[in-house]
Amino acid sequence: MMHPYYLALGTLLVLAWSCTPTEPVFQARFTESTELPFPIDSQQQFTFGYLEVLEDRERPQGRTIQLPVYYFKSRRTPAEPDPIIYTVGGPGASTMPSAPYMAYYPYLDDRDFILLEQRGTQYARPHLDCPEWAAAAAKIRQEQPTPAEREALQLAAAAACKKRLVARDIDLDAYHTAATAADIADLRRALGFDQYNLLTLSYSTKIAQVMMRDYPEGIRSVVMDSPLPLAVSYDEESVINLLAGLDTLLADCEAEPACRAAFPDLGPRFRQFLVETTRRPHALSVPNAAAGTRERVAVRGRDIMAFFADASTAEVARLPLEMEKLLGGDWSSIEAYLADRWRPAGLGNGQGMRLSVWCQEEFPFVDTAVVSAETQAHPEVLVWSPAVFEAPICQLWTSSRAQPRENQAVYSDIPTLLISGEYDVETPPRWAAQMQRELSHSFHVILPKWRHGPTTIWGDPCARQLAQQFFRQPQVPPTSDCLVELEQRPFVVED
């Protein structure tokens, strides 16, 4: 039988433990602020403030971070009760620059519209900027180093940036897609609405997929512009996507009588031109406006393809003509494009966030053998590395690795609209078509002759009109005459 002393002592210990005050659970909160990242038209009603959330939700007593939020009131009274939350791509891009342009967004005709700055991006606190990376990128553009020299410059930049950010007690492993999805769930609770819609772009379509998987409660509908599926390996497919986009454009030119007549057999001739220019680079004198000089540049097939890959939606109608001009010896457009390499270095805004996301979520699931083979597999763009970041950079940046499910398809019956540009070489339409098999209540719209990010094309509201129509009736596939008009727009065949 236990001695009464020990019984009493045990009772006291139990009482002491049970009376110990529990640590308060952190609650995300929204606090209004009058210090705006961007000024807003006086006629637009809005609230601005900061969402305060935990940097690492596994450390409830740890540091918090602040995320800027614009809450724009609908032009309609009363508004629909389910607002739209908008995030942009990158990873690492800022949503805040969209704030002054609410007049272009039809969504405010029905509902409130919320801009959320993702953690780690330009106006968030903290901001994972990497000016060191921007300086290295400028040096690489200007000096055309070998692949080994290029990697060494980037590795040194990443090391310097990481050292500076870690010295500020920033936990780089806490900046990833799942954390941003949890931030949006916290925003919904802090602002107190029952239902909402998601409008996402490029990388942030991954955020939408994680939201649909982890926080489906209250999501009424989702629009994904230029979808990036969780399950794809971007690095393994980027060169294939680039060349497939070229083939699509050339096939469209061949199918259009005026383009075919103006540029006969353009596809085979241009592909061979890329191969020959890769084997024997073309020496080009390019103006360096900063120094007031001209610099000699060796142009290869990959440089020419970069020019075509970077063309905007407004410029694609001229691309067959630009190809024919190159074949005829007119390098003026490539010269102007390459002259941009001497522009002042950027600030590296959001680059640390980009590194954290990519090195935790993409790099661990990449087959490096496939990536290595792809650099040698295509004679048109030989030694074009498809990797966003080389292995040593990701190995330096973070030791954290995302769970396998962050690289697996999401299955959901939440109404979803997938919007693709036909000529998008970053997130090709076939990726969205693949996602339709996993999203049982989804519709896919492809905008003819458009590139990446159709809803952001200010000069043509077609994609925004389709998104607005879907937000109004998410059970019905959106249609518009604007799609037919886009299909009928001809290629430019002469200057």
Side-chain angles (χ1 to χ4, degrees), residues 333-357:
S333 294
I334 300 295
E335 179 183 314
Y337 173 75
L338 294 176
D340 191 49
R341 67 175 57 204
W342 282 281
R343 70 181 185 274
L347 299 176
N349 290 326
Q351 185 64 36
M353 178 63 177
R354 184 175 179 83
L355 282 158
S356 285
V357 169

Side-chain angles (χ1 to χ4, degrees), residues 233 236 360-367 401-407:
S233 179
E236 292 177 23
Q360 291 182 82
E361 300 173 18
E362 294 290 338
F363 172 72
F365 305 105
V366 167
D367 186 333
R401 178 190 177 105
Q403 295 297 316
R405 70 177 191 153
E406 305 305 338
N407 194 49

Side-chain angles (χ1 to χ4, degrees), residues 367-424:
D367 186 333
T368 54
V370 172
V371 172
S372 178
E374 281 296 291
T375 64
Q376 304 293 332
H378 307 283
E380 303 96 326
V381 290
L382 201 63
V383 200
W384 181 317
S385 175
V388 172
F389 298 115
E390 301 298 336
I393 293 168
C394 277
Q395 291 161 353
L396 174 146
W397 189 261
T398 179
S399 58
S400 178
R401 178 190 177 105
Q403 295 297 316
R405 70 177 191 153
E406 305 305 338
N407 194 49
Q408 295 169 356
V410 170
Y411 291 82
S412 175
D413 61 0
I414 295 173
T416 303
L417 175 63
L418 307 166
I419 300 177
S420 300
E422 182 188 15
Y423 297 160
D424 187 348

Side-chain angles (χ1 to χ4, degrees), residues 117-403:
E117 183 82 330
Q118 297 167 42
R119 59 172 52 206
T121 54
Q122 185 175 359
Y123 295 95
R125 301 171 179 172
H127 168 210
L128 275 56
D129 62 326
C130 279
E132 303 90 345
W133 186 277
K139 188 177 181 69
I140 290 166
R141 286 198 311 271
Q142 295 165 12
E143 298 183 4
Q144 294 186 300
T146 65
E149 292 169 339
R150 180 178 186 270
E151 183 179 313
L153 285 167
Q154 291 178 331
L155 188 61
C161 182
K162 178 179 180 178
K163 181 179 180 180
R164 180 174 50 78
L165 294 176
V166 170
R168 293 167 51 196
D169 294 325
I170 296 173
D171 180 2
L172 299 178
D173 292 348
Y175 293 80
H176 49 73
T177 303
T180 298
D183 294 339
I184 296 176
D186 278 344
L187 177 66
R188 177 204 172 197
R189 286 188 288 268
L191 296 181
F193 42 81
D194 295 328
Q195 278 197 318
Y196 66 103
N197 308 275
L198 289 171
L199 174 59
T200 55
L201 169 67
S202 191
Y203 156 71
S204 74
T205 63
K206 287 185 62 175
I207 300 171
Q209 292 163 67
V210 173
M211 293 292 300
M212 295 163 80
R213 182 193 69 197
D214 295 350
Y215 309 99
E217 302 82 7
I219 302 178
R220 174 180 172 270
S221 69
V222 179
V223 172
M224 298 189 198
D225 177 353
S226 307
L228 174 60
L230 286 185
V232 305
S233 179
Y234 187 95
D235 286 359
E236 292 177 23
E237 300 188 37
S238 60
V239 176
I240 296 172
N241 290 338
L242 179 68
L243 294 175
L246 173 65
D247 287 341
T248 300
L249 185 145
L250 289 169
D252 285 351
C253 175
E254 182 68 18
E256 190 173 293
C259 194
R260 182 175 64 251
F263 316 122
D265 298 319
L266 180 60
R269 290 188 295 123
F270 186 69
R271 295 292 287 253
Q272 186 58 34
F273 176 75
L274 291 174
V275 172
E276 292 173 356
T277 309
T278 296
R279 291 173 180 165
R280 293 181 294 277
H282 178 79
L284 194 62
S285 177
V286 177
N288 178 350
T293 60
R294 296 187 74 88
E295 310 288 344
R296 195 171 181 81
V297 176
V299 182
R300 297 170 173 81
R302 63 177 185 263
D303 304 306
I304 296 168
M305 278 303 297
F307 165 76
F308 288 101
D310 287 346
S312 68
T313 291
E315 296 167 330
V316 294
R318 288 185 52 86
L319 292 186
L321 175 61
E322 293 295 342
M323 294 176 191
E324 190 66 43
K325 287 167 63 177
L326 269 174
L327 291 169
D330 183 348
W331 290 80
S332 57
S333 294
I334 300 295
E335 179 183 314
Y337 173 75
L338 294 176
D340 191 49
R341 67 175 57 204
W342 282 281
R343 70 181 185 274
L347 299 176
N349 290 326
Q351 185 64 36
M353 178 63 177
R354 184 175 179 83
L355 282 158
S356 285
V357 169
W358 211 266
C359 292
Q360 291 182 82
E361 300 173 18
E362 294 290 338
F363 172 72
F365 305 105
V366 167
D367 186 333
T368 54
V370 172
V371 172
S372 178
E374 281 296 291
T375 64
Q376 304 293 332
H378 307 283
E380 303 96 326
V381 290
L382 201 63
V383 200
W384 181 317
S385 175
V388 172
F389 298 115
E390 301 298 336
I393 293 168
C394 277
Q395 291 161 353
L396 174 146
W397 189 261
T398 179
S399 58
S400 178
R401 178 190 177 105
Q403 295 297 316

